[in-house]
Amino acid sequence: MPDDVKRRDFLAACVGAGGIAAGGVSSSAAFQAINDDDSVVSSKPWWVSQVDEPVLAIDDDVYARFNQHKNVLNAYRDYVTEERAQEVQEMKAAMRADVEAGTLPGYRREDNALMSAGWTLRGTGNMNRGLRSWAPQRRGGPATPWETTPEHAANVVKRAARFFGAADTGIAPLDRRHIFSRSYGVDIHFEEVDEAYEVEGEKAVIPEKVKYAIAVVVRMSPDVAAVAPSQLCDATTSLGYSRLEFTVGHLGAFIRNLGYTAIPSVNGLGSSPAFAVDAGLGEMGRTNRFISPTFGPAVQLGKVLTDMPMAVDKQIHFGLKEFCTVCGRCAETCPSEALSFDEQPSFEVRGEFNNPGHQTWSEDCVKCFEFWEESNSYCSTCIMVCPWAKKDKTALHEVIKASSAKMPILDRLLVSMDERFGYGKMKDPDAWWDLDLQEHGVDSW
Amino acid sequence: MVSQVNETAVDKAPDHLILRVRKRPWYVWLLRAVWVVWILAWLEFAIGSKQEIEPQAFSIAVKVLIVSVLLGLGLYFWRLREERKGSGEGVAASAE
């Protein structure tokens, strides 16, 4: 048996095929990879391959740490004229009256209240604040670092992350180029120090000994993501951030209790999608956003940086690059035409808001942000229409995903079928309030 | 119990009867198994699509399911009728 087809992968494939044949067996359970006692936890479907080289290339001569202040959320007015900014604000205000009156589906009073309430935990702090504090406090156990094998440490961390609410977790060696050069008003440095610290308004310091990034995925509610663009849809975005806050905060505390440094983070500090790709949790799609093989694009990402030695994961490939090459539904549907129609990913950037040096389908973040403003929402249409965004209630989705991963020649047919079957259409936001929901509207099994 | 009798021959020897039963060829059983899996897969997809609130997918799944069931049963009964014709009048042709 070749090295790349391990016994457990083969068995998992057989179990998966049996699940399909039986019809109605829980698909994700049927596709769980079998975990040997001495291996690192892996819940990847059998059709996901591990790769040694990045699927989307990085130009080492160009790729460097990005100043997060160039992000369109921070620097929008640097990228447009004053007239344009005013025009967008006027469009936002024009819709605002209807939003406040609650007359629009998805923008009713209860939708707005749900979305705003979703931010509650997230609102307790930002980088190095609240649950994401870098302070080295511990709540139990000896101060000496826990000693075990890297494989066991990785297993334990992944189990703990799951316990704290992560749908998926991966571990990558820390690539410092993914750390922002500047974030939340401070420059970020690496220094030979024992603990991370911040000099307010000046600099934040990560210890040189921090060598690992634990990337965590939190799943958005597929039922809510299916009503984009609307403020009801935004509720899964806001709640997702709060859940990430909870997850990375608790995971950081767990690692500190084991005697190591932990720096929990959500959107600040560094590029969460870059860490998630390095940690083998998914690939970047045409949306210029992270896509998980299991959960699709409706996910949110966080990370915890640490010095605890752990076995790292390899990057993965499940045919997404090939699929996005022939699909393009997100670009066709994007209300602001912000996404790329280029057939192949490239190193081209659309503005200073893009970090150059990595192959991708670059996005015009200004157009995207302007639609957020105009629509009084965070849009998410690209997430809703993506064929990888499915609710996992039927095993056929797993068969389709596996077919795309292993037989890219079928991708065009699969995209066409996805449209014919009516997927990706906006659901009635008012009907959402009558659904039977799971906790947080999510089933990540 | 024999599931299907294709041809019956009666030996009118004085002290006993001989009943000859022709087995279905293997490919018929294979086709039936494929048909059952096909039906179950579409049934599962229809139920899943209903749960996912995907009306178009549900509608297509139900249509495919109904057509598949009707086609399968139609073919079955058509073949049964043909076999009965071929087995000779007045002779019991099916033990199913």
Side-chain angles (χ1 to χ4, degrees):
Chain A
M1 193 174 283
D3 286 346
D4 58 341
V5 184
K6 293 179 180 167
R7 177 175 54 87
R8 61 174 180 267
D9 294 336
F10 177 73
L11 288 171
C14 294
V15 172
I20 296 164
V25 174
S26 167
S27 55
S28 49
F31 281 91
Q32 293 285 325
I34 294 166
N35 186 44
D36 293 342
D37 289 339
D38 59 348
S39 72
V40 174
V41 170
S42 173
S43 58
K44 302 287 180 296
W46 64 269
W47 38 268
V48 173
S49 310
Q50 292 186 329
V51 292
D52 293 320
E53 296 295 324
V55 175
L56 295 176
I58 289 180
D59 183 343
D60 291 326
D61 294 333
V62 177
Y63 186 63
R65 292 174 63 188
F66 183 66
N67 179 352
Q68 198 189 18
H69 289 211
K70 290 183 179 176
N71 181 313
V72 75
L73 293 173
N74 297 309
Y76 168 69
R77 285 178 181 268
D78 295 344
Y79 301 126
V80 296
T81 61
E82 189 56 40
E83 291 73 32
R84 177 60 186 161
Q86 186 64 33
E87 190 184 343
V88 169
Q89 284 309 305
E90 282 167 12
M91 284 191 271
K92 181 178 184 174
M95 189 181 178
R96 192 76 205 160
D98 287 333
V99 171
E100 285 174 3
T103 53
L104 301 173
Y107 291 84
R108 304 211 191 279
R109 183 77 185 267
E110 61 269 35
D111 301 326
N112 181 276
L114 192 75
M115 180 270 288
S116 302
W119 288 110
T120 302
L121 197 54
R122 167 70 166 173
T124 57
N126 49 44
M127 190 176 80
N128 194 20
R129 303 286 185 281
L131 282 172
R132 278 175 284 152
S133 169
W134 300 1
Q137 79 275 18
R138 297 183 305 104
R139 293 185 192 280
T144 51
W146 179 50
E147 289 185 15
T148 185
T149 64
E151 289 76 18
H152 185 57
N155 261 326
V156 163
V157 160
K158 288 177 181 180
R159 300 281 184 199
R162 178 77 188 168
F163 182 67
F164 293 131
D168 203 0
T169 310
I171 298 165
L174 178 63
D175 186 336
R176 291 188 184 184
R177 296 173 300 178
H178 300 337
I179 299 290
F180 298 134
S181 59
R182 189 168 170 77
S183 181
Y184 286 100
V186 292
D187 293 330
I188 300 174
H189 298 280
F190 284 85
E191 289 179 8
E192 278 291 353
V193 290
D194 205 41
E195 295 294 348
Y197 70 95
E198 181 184 345
V199 180
E200 202 161 336
E202 189 185 324
K203 68 174 181 178
V205 174
I206 299 172
E208 291 274 0
K209 65 179 182 179
V210 169
K211 305 279 188 199
Y212 301 92
I214 304 161
V216 298
V217 169
V218 162
R219 194 178 186 189
M220 296 164 77
S221 171
D223 287 311
V224 189
V227 295
S230 67
Q231 289 192 337
L232 176 59
C233 177
D234 296 346
T236 193
T237 305
S238 60
L239 184 65
Y241 278 120
S242 284
R243 291 173 59 220
L244 271 175
E245 190 91 18
F246 181 94
T247 302
V248 299
H250 284 76
L251 187 60
F254 173 75
I255 290 168
R256 285 187 204 110
N257 289 344
L258 292 173
Y260 292 95
T261 294
I263 304 174
S265 167
V266 181
N267 276 2
L269 190 65
S271 168
S272 295
F275 286 121
V277 169
D278 280 2
L281 296 177
E283 294 182 60
M284 296 300 286
R286 182 181 287 276
T287 52
N288 198 30
R289 284 164 178 77
F290 173 88
I291 295 180
S292 154
T294 316
F295 307 115
V299 292
Q300 287 168 283
L301 305 168
K303 66 270 182 190
V304 179
L305 310 185
T306 183
D307 57 337
M308 185 161 87
M310 291 171 291
V312 296
D313 295 293
K314 283 186 171 182
Q315 294 194 24
I316 59 169
H317 182 48
F318 52 97
L320 187 69
K321 177 185 169 186
E322 293 77 6
F323 187 88
C324 288
T325 299
V326 302
C327 179
R329 284 193 73 188
C330 53
E332 290 159 10
T333 324
C334 176
S336 60
E337 298 179 346
L339 300 181
S340 172
F341 283 93
D342 294 348
E343 188 178 324
Q344 296 291 339
S346 71
F347 288 98
E348 280 178 36
V349 292
R350 312 272 290 270
E352 284 189 43
F353 38 77
N354 294 141
N355 190 15
H358 64 103
Q359 200 181 28
T360 188
W361 285 275
S362 282
E363 166 197 10
D364 188 333
C365 303
V366 168
K367 286 183 177 176
C368 180
F369 179 72
E370 285 180 341
F371 185 76
W372 286 19
E373 293 288 277
E374 290 166 21
S375 67
N376 287 265
S377 78
Y378 309 124
C379 190
S380 304
T381 301
C382 55
I383 291 174
M384 180 180 73
V385 302
C386 177
W388 286 83
K390 293 285 181 287
K391 294 182 200 164
D392 299 335
K393 300 286 185 193
T394 164
L396 197 64
H397 295 324
E398 285 290 340
V399 178
I400 299 294
K401 287 179 182 179
S403 305
S404 173
K406 295 300 179 189
M407 291 177 283
I409 197 169
L410 296 176
D411 283 344
R412 224 173 272 278
L413 173 70
L414 299 178
V415 172
S416 167
M417 280 173 61
D418 196 77
E419 285 184 59
R420 285 180 188 279
F421 278 70
Y423 289 110
K425 289 180 181 168
M426 183 185 184
K427 304 291 185 299
D428 175 12
D430 290 334
W432 180 84
W433 290 92
D434 295 324
L435 295 180
D436 289 327
L437 291 175
Q438 288 147 320
E439 288 175 15
H440 305 131
V442 172
D443 175 12
S444 57
W445 283 109
Chain B
M1 182 66 194
V2 176
S3 63
Q4 184 74 43
V5 178
N6 287 331
E7 188 179 334
T8 306
V10 179
D11 184 347
K12 294 184 178 175
D15 59 346
H16 64 279
L17 295 173
I18 296 173
L19 190 67
R20 280 195 302 208
V21 179
R22 182 189 288 171
K23 285 197 293 187
R24 291 267 183 218
W26 64 270
Y27 59 82
V28 171
W29 291 108
L30 181 67
L31 280 176
R32 285 181 177 183
V34 168
W35 181 74
V36 168
V37 170
W38 174 262
I39 295 293
L40 286 176
W42 281 99
L43 179 64
E44 193 268 351
F45 182 60
I47 294 168
S49 298
K50 184 76 176 170
Q51 290 174 335
E52 287 181 346
I53 321 170
E54 293 291 352
Q56 199 166 321
F58 173 72
S59 166
I60 291 173
V62 168
K63 284 172 189 164
V64 172
L65 188 62
I66 290 171
V67 169
S68 301
V69 168
L70 290 179
L71 272 180
L73 290 177
L75 187 64
Y76 171 79
F77 285 115
W78 176 77
R79 279 179 55 90
L80 194 65
R81 191 164 150 267
E82 292 300 303
E83 285 161 1
R84 280 183 175 172
K85 272 187 193 169
S87 65
E89 285 180 27
V91 178
S94 175
E96 207 169 45

